[in-house]
Structures are given as C-alpha cells and as structure tokens.
Amino acid sequence: MKQRVFSGIKPTGHLTFGHYSTAGKWPALAEQYDCIYCVVDLHAVTVTLEPQVLRQDTRELYATYLALGLDPEKNILFLQSHVPAHSELSWLLSCHTMFGELSRMTQFKDKSKNNANNINAGLFTYPVLMAADILLYDAKIVPVGEDQKQHVEIARDICLRFNGKFGDVFTVPEPQIAKTGARVMNLLEPEKKMSKTDDNDNATIFIMDERDTIIKKIKRAVTDSDGGVRFDPENKPGVANLMTIYSVATGKTFDEIEKEFDGKGYGIFKPAVAEAVADCLEPVRLKIRGYLDDTARLDAYMRDGAERANAIAVKTLERVRNAMGFYKC
Ligand code: AQP
C-alpha cells in the first residue's frame, strides 16, 4: 500500500506565489503516494466572508488545483464542506485537545491581533479541524509551507494522545516542508509572509496577476543599498526573498543564482526575476480561466472527488466511534 498524502488550502482570496511555491510541488507526489487535496472551505469561515465571495473563491481555488497539474484521476480533489465527517471528527478530537496547547498556536495569536473584533471560537479550534482533516484519511505525509508546521505538529500530538487512549486508531502524520520556497515573503516587508489577505496588493504576487502587474510589483520590491545578489536572509531579507522566488520559478539553486548575477546589480536581477515569475504563472492563469469557464466539468470533478473522499472518511469515522464506545444498533 502506498503511503497517503493530505493537504489543503483555504479559499480566502486569490492564491499567491507562496501558494504556487508550496502546492506547485504537489502534482509530482502522485507518482509515489496516494494523494488527497482539499479546498478547506470550513476553515475559511473563521473570518467574515460574503457568501458570494466564498463561492467564487472556492471555485477559483479548485480550478487552481487543476491548473497546477493535479490530475483528478490520480489525486482525490474535493471540498471539505462536501464531506460531513470532517466536522464530526473535529468535535470528537476537540474533547482530546487541551485549551493550553491551542492557546500557544502562533497563527491564533497573529490572527487574533489582526481580527480583534472577531476572535471567534472557530479561530481558536482551527487546528482541531485541521487535525480531523489529516487523521480522517490516515495521511502519513502532510506537505505544507513553513507557517503550517506548528498545526501539523499539534495534529500529531492529538493523534498520539488519542491512540494512547483508544489503541492505534489513526496513522501518525508528519509535516513535509520543502527546502526552498516554504516561506515566500511579502515583497514590501520581507520579514512578513506573503499572504493572500494582505492589505497592500503590491506586496503580493497573485497567481492570477497579469505579466505587466507582476513586472511592476517586482520592480518595486524592497531590496537594500548593498547592490549584491547574495543569499543572506538575515542581513538582506528582500534580496533573499527575490532569490527564493527566482529559485522556485526556475529551479535554479542559490549558488547558481549568485553566479548568474555576480557583479550585475539589482537593475539586471529584478527584471530577470519578474520575467521568470511571469513565464511560470502565465500558463497556470490561462488554465484557471479555462476551467472556470467550464462549470459542468468543474462540478463533475468536485462531485466525484467528494464521493471518493467520503468513502474513506466514513470508514475512519466508524472506527473512531467504535473505539470511543458510541452505542451502535
Ligand atoms: N507565503 C507562503 N510561502 C509558502 N507557502 C505558503 N502557504 C501559504 N502562504 C505561503 C502554504 O499554502 C498552504 C495553504 O495555505 P492557506 O491559504 O490555507 O493558509 P495560510 O497559510 O494562512 O495562507 P494565507 O495566504 O496567509 O491566507 P490567509 O491570509 O487567509 O490566512 C499551506 O501549506 C501554507 O503553508
């Protein structure tokens, strides 16, 4: 039996080059693993969203999975809200998750700071739902960006605690973090992660950005006065970020990039980064548009994915109910 991979992205806006960097590596995994990818729409509603916007973002994200090269026959691609077992398992696991450990989650602290008017319980218990997503499918490997590592670790802790009480009910998951591009940074404040909900659009490269927009944004990206293209995230965070972006777009190593731009300065480096990013995102953008124009095909893929995911999820949930002692008749 192949080991299983599970991951997901929440539909809270247009995907960024950071998502491209992380999810762009997923299609290759199907050669070696049994892969399941989810549009985690239940996670999205921890922030206030207009219903129409959630619907649009959900479709666009599903289309992006396809456009990135995730083949719906080789992978299971589905919407979280189409498989009710996620919510039920989340409740059961929440009774085995400690208030203290949830309080330590960096994302909860950051999001509470940024959403002071809406620190809802869902924001707090978000990692429990994420643990349910992963454990429902007995995923061994969870490929995520650096920012989600802590959430996979708490899923692992919840899993070990649950297995310790009830026997080996779940597979113990582990995070898989890429060596390069696991944390693409904000173009204007390179100490912050590039995020789809940043207030300033110029700080973020969106997968759907047109070539001219990408070129303008990268031209304005923060660098430094030193002028050298060297990978030094501590002293040259802006340049290190552009090197990371260039590396993701071209597959070149940092050594190769340093040699390529040795003595050339940012006037040559930035346009090269911009062209490389525009070249790699353009075919994805065109494919997304194509999928979005074909609602019947998109809906058919979603229904099929939900059916296949549901078939696995209900079995796991049954195992959990039996292990915990819920009465069956
Ligand atoms: N900047 C990034 N660099 C590398 N990987 C990233 N990911 C997100 N941003 C970057 C990875 O993409 C996966 C799904 O992320 P998500 O959108 O579900 O949640 P997030 O990490 O909270 O992303 P955002 O853009 O910051 O969304 P909002 O603003 O809505 O919270 C994860 O594997 C993540 O690591």
Side-chain angles (χ1 to χ4, degrees):
M1 274 257 293
K2 283 182 179 174
Q3 285 186 328
R4 188 162 286 151
V5 162
F6 176 94
S7 200
I9 302 181
K10 60 183 188 297
T12 43
H14 302 297
L15 295 206
T16 72
F17 191 80
H19 298 97
Y20 173 85
S21 173
T22 290
K25 298 179 179 86
W26 295 348
L29 298 176
E31 300 302 322
Q32 200 184 338
Y33 302 103
D34 184 14
C35 298
I36 304 182
Y37 301 103
C38 183
V39 172
V40 288
D41 50 358
L42 297 175
H43 283 279
V45 297
T46 49
V47 294
T48 310
L49 291 176
E50 289 301 324
Q52 193 47 33
V53 173
L54 176 61
R55 265 191 285 275
Q56 267 167 18
D57 286 349
T58 301
R59 284 184 85 240
E60 186 176 303
L61 177 44
Y62 196 94
T64 307
Y65 278 175
L66 297 168
L68 286 172
L70 289 172
D71 180 336
E73 286 183 10
K74 290 192 189 151
N75 304 270
I76 298 181
L77 308 177
F78 74 105
L79 308 188
Q80 189 183 27
S81 62
H82 289 184
V83 178
H86 289 252
S87 309
E88 185 174 342
L89 184 59
S90 178
W91 169 255
L92 298 176
L93 295 180
S94 72
C95 301
H96 299 275
T97 308
M98 300 304 124
F99 180 86
E101 59 189 344
L102 288 176
S103 312
R104 287 192 289 277
M105 292 294 108
T106 313
Q107 183 170 295
F108 173 68
K109 289 187 211 160
D110 291 347
K111 298 256 171 198
S112 312
K113 230 185 279 164
N114 300 334
N115 292 284
N117 297 329
N118 186 20
I119 308 177
N120 58 71
L123 204 57
F124 187 64
T125 57
Y126 183 111
V128 187
L129 179 57
M130 184 162 157
D133 300 338
I134 297 166
L135 300 185
L136 258 186
Y137 299 98
D138 284 310
K140 181 73 199 156
I141 294 156
V142 188
V144 286
E146 185 69 46
D147 61 317
Q148 290 296 331
K149 187 168 176 239
Q150 197 184 30
H151 285 166
V152 183
E153 283 167 353
I154 194 177
R156 191 183 161 84
D157 292 344
I158 296 168
C159 173
L160 290 170
R161 186 174 302 131
F162 193 96
N163 282 357
K165 279 184 194 157
F166 300 109
D168 282 342
V169 177
F170 297 121
T171 299
V172 183
E174 54 196 56
Q176 185 186 70
I177 314 276
K179 286 202 181 75
T180 310
R183 197 173 169 83
V184 174
M185 308 307 273
N186 181 303
L187 293 178
L188 301 178
E189 296 169 83
E191 57 293 336
K192 265 171 60 179
K193 189 189 78 152
M194 184 181 283
S195 170
K196 54 174 126 60
T197 54
D198 201 277
D199 292 338
N200 187 348
D201 268 8
N202 288 323
T204 307
I205 304 164
F206 295 103
I207 294 180
M208 292 302 273
D209 277 344
E210 300 284 341
R211 177 173 287 267
D212 288 355
T213 309
I214 294 171
I215 291 171
K216 262 188 230 142
K217 285 181 178 179
I218 293 184
K219 204 170 163 193
R220 289 189 198 134
V222 165
T223 48
D224 50 53
S225 53
D226 159 280
V229 178
R230 284 191 317 282
F231 191 73
D232 180 356
E234 208 166 301
N235 299 306
K236 296 166 69 64
V239 172
N241 189 35
L242 289 177
M243 287 179 72
T244 300
I245 291 172
Y246 190 61
S247 171
V248 171
T250 60
K252 293 178 185 171
T253 64
F254 294 136
D255 274 354
E256 286 168 339
I257 299 170
E258 283 181 5
K259 278 191 198 115
E260 184 178 345
F261 295 100
D262 186 27
K264 291 200 176 135
Y266 304 147
I268 305 281
F269 175 55
K270 278 182 163 184
V273 176
E275 290 296 336
V277 170
D279 285 349
C280 78
L281 292 185
E282 191 161 281
V284 180
R285 191 176 72 240
L286 296 177
K287 282 186 198 155
I288 294 173
R289 292 220 181 101
Y291 284 116
L292 288 175
D293 285 344
D294 191 347
T295 301
R297 178 160 62 147
L298 212 53
D299 286 359
Y301 286 154
M302 285 180 191
R303 274 195 294 269
D304 177 63
E307 210 175 291
R308 288 158 67 204
N310 199 50
I312 302 170
V314 289
K315 283 193 194 139
T316 312
L317 199 54
E318 186 60 14
R319 219 164 63 217
V320 175
R321 288 199 192 118
N322 284 338
M324 291 181 78
F326 286 100
Y327 187 77
K328 202 174 155 188
C329 55

